[in-house]
Amino acid sequence: MPPVITRRRLLAGAAGAVGLAGAAGAAAWAGGLLRPDPQLVAPDADLVGRVEAARRRAGAGTVTATLTPRPVSLDLGGPVVSTWGYADTAPGPLIRARAGDLLRVEVANQLPADTSVHWHGVALRNDMDGVPGVTQRPIPAGGRHVYEFTAPDAGTYFYHPHSGVQLDRALYGVLVVDDPAEPGGYDAEWILVLDDWVDGTGRTPDQVLAALDSMGGMHGDGGGMGHDMGGMPMSGMETMTSPLLGGAGDVAYPHYLINGRVPAAPVTLTGKPGQRVRIRLVNAASDTAFRVALGGHRLTVTHTDGFPVVPADTDALLLAMGERVDLTVTLADGVFPLIAAAEGKTGQGLAVVRSGAGDPPPATARPSELDRQVLNTAVLRAADPVRLPERRPDRTHRLVLGGGMMPYRWTINGATFHDAEPLLVRYGERVRLEFVNRTTMFHPMHVHGHTFAITGTTGTPGARKDTVIVTPNQTVAVDLDATNPGQWMTHCHNIYHAETGMMINLAYRT
Ligand code: C2O
Ligand code: CU
């Protein structure tokens, strides 16, 4: 029976297979023309421009960069893979600005496919958010696009395509926004990006997605769990579970990387004993949360998702896809493994920290810190200057997370993205989002264009974040001020979940 074609589906069809995007509610690119829903604030509405103008800092600079997504050959430190990247290394170029600066980034698409660039975590103007089908046209193969926006808040961010499962290639890079007034208080800074890697090892991410999708048509054969899907071992929640997360992922990756390297050929970070190092840690993986620890050290978490927290000491921490933390460590004397263990999976990423003499750790190093205190960023508390002021929500939206492996389909409020009713909000409101997880897997839920405050579950004031882990049967409530008008994707940052439906539009209405 053919599916019922709704208006939304029709618009989505006209916009083509844009992936991680579509045409829900707000505005659809159809035939190359933006067709706004007059009830909703368009991505390029006057109000968007006025809010942007108010963001500019007097005397702000302009930071320019060029990104050239293209087919590349990457040496992961042994395995050489053909993939798509922003550079001949992963991650792509570091972009660095000061809070209030204008960023002007030209994207020259040399991929054989449409692409886009999303500025994850940044409260930017909606028409620069990089969601094809919603905030812009896709950038066609051979095309160019200029992103120009003010980055208002200091912090550790990253950028990636919002097109299909392209993030699961080497298409990611870090954006650091420095606070001109920050005291600093550290001697060195290391930027570390975690990733799960499959592309060029016999399967592309699109083939992984197709294999997951096809499991829906394989009823009665055991669900496709744990058997080999044409060279790519796939397993489901039966095997990839974690005591901290429940179902921890859908894809068993052949490699886990730190700064683009497999553990057999890790990057080495050097310092001196007694130095205080700030580590900016980004999880750019598509289907993997990492448990991170540095052998012989305690970690002090100072920021999450860019925003400062009341500093918290821990042995290890859990970092889901799309989350970031800034850590401070005081270096001991010697050689130490920094491990990012794939949570609930087999394998890990490794970086070597060297502040003295000694042999490098083996690729399989497993410091005991990993099995001591493991911090979930959701329990962190906001630092005073960034605490969201107390206010009763004007409106509460419940987002019931549903779906599963059989068929491979993930939903919010019972619908996949193209069929989902937008979550309506008005400019100026305090909005509460309640993420209710009715699945057996964890979902790192991400909201574009806003930094919410975690509410209720832990102490107040809850940490300011843009991505939060929601474990099976858990409800996580977050509050945000609707001060950034436009149409904002709200989705699971498991790229395969988002792509197969777990995404909804947080829509400002007029
Ligand atoms: Cu990094 Cu729509 O997200
Ligand atoms: Cu998910």
Side-chain angles (χ1 to χ4, degrees):
M1 209 174 61
V4 177
I5 296 189
T6 64
R7 177 177 163 275
R8 276 196 191 88
R9 200 179 274 291
L10 196 61
L11 289 173
V18 290
L20 242 202
W29 292 97
L33 292 171
L34 183 65
R35 276 200 269 152
D37 179 333
Q39 297 221 306
L40 302 182
V41 176
D44 59 352
D46 287 348
L47 179 60
V48 171
R50 289 202 298 279
V51 169
E52 172 73 358
R55 265 182 202 125
R56 297 300 304 280
R57 179 168 53 79
T62 300
V63 171
T64 59
T66 303
L67 295 176
T68 317
R70 58 184 184 270
V72 293
S73 164
L74 287 192
D75 182 355
L76 305 178
V80 176
V81 292
S82 295
T83 185
W84 296 351
Y86 291 119
D88 294 324
T89 54
L94 172 65
I95 301 179
R96 192 149 203 159
R98 300 203 314 165
D101 280 354
L102 187 72
L103 277 93
R104 183 180 298 131
V105 182
E106 175 157 8
V107 178
N109 182 11
Q110 295 179 3
L111 299 172
D114 289 354
T115 194
S116 55
V117 180
H118 167 62
W119 308 91
H120 178 115
V122 180
L124 45 46
R125 53 181 304 155
N126 189 227
D127 53 355
M128 295 295 148
D129 195 43
V131 180
V134 178
T135 66
Q136 66 170 93
R137 292 183 182 84
I139 310 171
R144 287 177 176 267
H145 189 84
V146 177
Y147 290 92
E148 189 172 302
F149 58 91
T150 302
D153 302 308
T156 304
Y157 302 96
F158 75 124
Y159 60 87
H160 63 76
H162 226 275
S163 302
V165 291
Q166 290 181 8
L167 168 60
D168 209 6
R169 302 187 188 232
L171 293 168
Y172 56 80
V174 177
L175 167 63
V176 173
V177 180
D178 290 301
D179 179 353
E182 207 216 46
Y186 49 91
D187 305 305
E189 179 194 61
W190 299 337
I191 298 175
L192 298 177
V193 185
L194 315 179
D195 193 14
D196 47 14
W197 191 270
V198 60
D199 196 29
T201 65
R203 289 182 82 72
T204 65
D206 293 294
Q207 289 169 322
V208 171
L209 177 64
L212 289 167
D213 260 336
S214 73
M215 289 167 53
M218 292 162 53
H219 298 279
D221 76 337
M225 307 298 185
H227 70 264
D228 193 275
M229 308 276 290
M232 172 67 192
M234 315 284 296
S235 43
M237 40 216 130
E238 271 99 90
T239 48
M240 286 189 268
T241 55
S242 144
L244 302 174
L245 294 175
D250 301 334
V251 183
Y253 285 79
H255 304 297
Y256 298 96
L257 312 179
I258 298 184
N259 288 1
R261 308 289 286 182
V262 294
V267 292
T268 298
L269 308 155
T270 53
K272 295 192 181 69
Q275 274 188 334
R276 280 166 63 79
V277 179
R278 180 180 192 160
I279 302 177
R280 296 181 188 264
L281 196 61
V282 177
N283 185 349
S286 290
D287 179 72
T288 307
F290 290 97
R291 193 189 292 208
V292 180
L294 172 57
H297 292 76
R298 294 263 292 169
L299 311 170
T300 303
V301 184
T302 61
H303 300 69
T304 182
D305 298 354
F307 279 56
V309 294
V310 175
D313 290 343
T314 187
D315 295 307
L317 62 90
L318 198 58
L319 202 68
M321 304 81 87
E323 285 193 287
R324 294 88 64 209
V325 282
D326 294 18
L327 311 170
T328 312
V329 296
T330 302
L331 293 181
D333 189 344
V335 183
F336 308 95
L338 192 153
I339 296 291
E343 183 67 18
K345 302 184 181 185
T346 305
Q348 61 183 20
L350 167 70
V352 175
V353 170
R354 177 177 286 279
S355 55
D359 291 334
T364 53
R366 172 117 199 151
S368 59
E369 283 82 0
L370 282 172
D371 298 307
R372 293 190 201 146
Q373 174 197 2
V374 184
L375 181 136
N376 179 327
T377 57
V379 308
L380 293 164
R381 298 170 64 230
D384 274 343
V386 300
R387 64 193 287 175
L388 193 68
E390 293 279 338
R391 181 174 158 189
R392 270 232 336 256
D394 298 299
R395 173 191 304 272
T396 298
H397 283 297
R398 240 171 121 73
L399 292 81
V400 177
L401 312 177
M405 305 290 286
M406 289 298 293
Y408 196 79
R409 177 175 180 269
W410 300 93
T411 58
I412 297 175
N413 297 336
T416 55
F417 177 57
H418 291 298
D419 294 319
E421 286 302 323
L423 306 169
L424 296 175
V425 302
R426 277 185 202 274
Y427 183 62
E429 286 179 340
R430 169 66 59 88
V431 177
R432 176 163 297 172
L433 303 179
E434 289 176 356
F435 299 109
V436 182
N437 187 349
R438 297 249 169 85
T439 77
T440 56
M441 290 193 69
F442 88 100
H443 305 285
M445 296 304 298
H446 172 53
V447 180
H448 284 206
H450 299 76
T451 296
F452 49 68
I454 298 187
T455 315
T457 44
T458 56
T460 41
R464 301 295 302 276
K465 288 181 65 59
D466 53 64
T467 309
V468 65
I469 291 174
V470 189
T471 56
N473 303 313
Q474 189 192 20
T475 295
V476 174
V478 304
D479 283 4
L480 61 84
D481 281 335
T483 52
N484 196 12
Q487 307 302 315
W488 302 101
M489 297 302 97
T490 298
H491 62 89
C492 177
H493 220 278
N494 181 310
I495 217 73
Y496 296 94
H497 294 186
E499 187 59 18
T500 53
M502 195 174 264
M503 176 152 61
I504 199 165
N505 181 13
L506 182 75
Y508 283 63
R509 54 159 311 163
T510 49

Coordinates of all heavy atoms in Angstrom, one line a residue, residues 321 410 441-445 492-494 497-498 502, ligand 2:
M321 N 27.6 11.8 21.8 CA 27.8 12.5 20.5 C 27.2 13.9 20.5 O 26.1 14.1 21.0 CB 27.0 11.7 19.4 CG 27.4 10.2 19.3 SD 26.6 9.2 20.6 CE 25.1 8.8 19.8
W410 N 13.1 5.8 14.2 CA 13.2 6.5 15.5 C 12.2 7.7 15.4 O 12.2 8.4 14.4 CB 14.6 6.9 15.8 CG 15.5 5.7 15.9 CD1 16.2 5.1 14.9 CD2 15.7 4.8 17.0 NE1 16.9 4.0 15.3 CE2 16.6 3.8 16.6 CE3 15.2 4.8 18.3 CZ2 17.0 2.8 17.5 CZ3 15.6 3.8 19.2 CH2 16.5 2.8 18.8
M441 N 17.3 2.4 24.2 CA 18.7 3.0 24.0 C 18.7 4.4 24.5 O 17.7 5.1 24.7 CB 18.8 3.2 22.4 CG 19.0 1.9 21.7 SD 19.6 2.2 20.1 CE 21.3 2.8 20.4
F442 N 20.0 4.9 24.7 CA 20.1 6.3 25.1 C 20.1 7.2 23.9 O 20.4 6.7 22.8 CB 21.4 6.5 25.9 CG 22.6 6.8 25.1 CD1 23.1 8.1 24.9 CD2 23.3 5.8 24.4 CE1 24.2 8.4 24.1 CE2 24.4 6.0 23.6 CZ 24.8 7.4 23.4
H443 N 19.7 8.4 24.1 CA 19.6 9.4 23.0 C 20.2 10.7 23.5 O 19.7 11.3 24.5 CB 18.2 9.6 22.5 CG 17.5 8.3 22.1 ND1 17.8 7.7 20.9 CD2 16.6 7.6 22.8 CE1 17.1 6.6 20.9 NE2 16.4 6.5 22.0
P444 N 21.3 11.2 22.9 CA 21.8 12.5 23.2 C 21.0 13.6 22.5 O 21.1 13.7 21.2 CB 23.3 12.5 22.7 CG 23.3 11.4 21.7 CD 22.2 10.5 21.9
M445 N 20.1 14.3 23.2 CA 19.2 15.2 22.5 C 19.8 16.6 22.4 O 20.3 17.1 23.4 CB 17.9 15.2 23.3 CG 17.2 13.8 23.3 SD 16.8 13.1 21.6 CE 15.8 14.4 20.9
C492 N 18.0 13.8 18.1 CA 19.0 12.9 18.7 C 20.3 13.1 17.9 O 20.3 13.1 16.6 CB 18.5 11.5 18.6 SG 19.8 10.3 19.2
H493 N 21.4 13.2 18.6 CA 22.7 13.4 17.9 C 23.3 12.0 17.5 O 24.5 12.0 17.0 CB 23.7 14.3 18.6 CG 24.4 15.2 17.7 ND1 25.5 14.8 17.0 CD2 24.2 16.4 17.3 CE1 25.9 15.8 16.2 NE2 25.1 16.8 16.4
N494 N 22.6 10.9 17.7 CA 23.0 9.7 17.0 C 22.6 9.9 15.5 O 21.4 10.1 15.2 CB 22.3 8.5 17.5 CG 22.7 7.2 16.8 OD1 22.7 7.2 15.6 ND2 23.0 6.2 17.6
H497 N 19.9 7.8 14.1 CA 18.6 8.0 14.6 C 18.0 9.3 14.0 O 16.8 9.3 13.6 CB 18.7 8.1 16.1 CG 19.1 6.9 16.9 ND1 19.1 6.8 18.2 CD2 19.5 5.7 16.4 CE1 19.5 5.6 18.6 NE2 19.7 4.9 17.5
A498 N 18.8 10.3 14.0 CA 18.3 11.6 13.4 C 17.8 11.4 12.0 O 16.8 11.8 11.5 CB 19.3 12.7 13.5
M502 N 14.3 10.7 14.2 CA 14.3 11.3 15.5 C 14.7 12.8 15.5 O 15.7 13.1 16.1 CB 15.1 10.5 16.5 CG 14.8 10.8 18.0 SD 15.7 9.7 19.1 CE 14.4 8.5 19.4
Ligands
CU2 CU 19.0 8.4 19.4

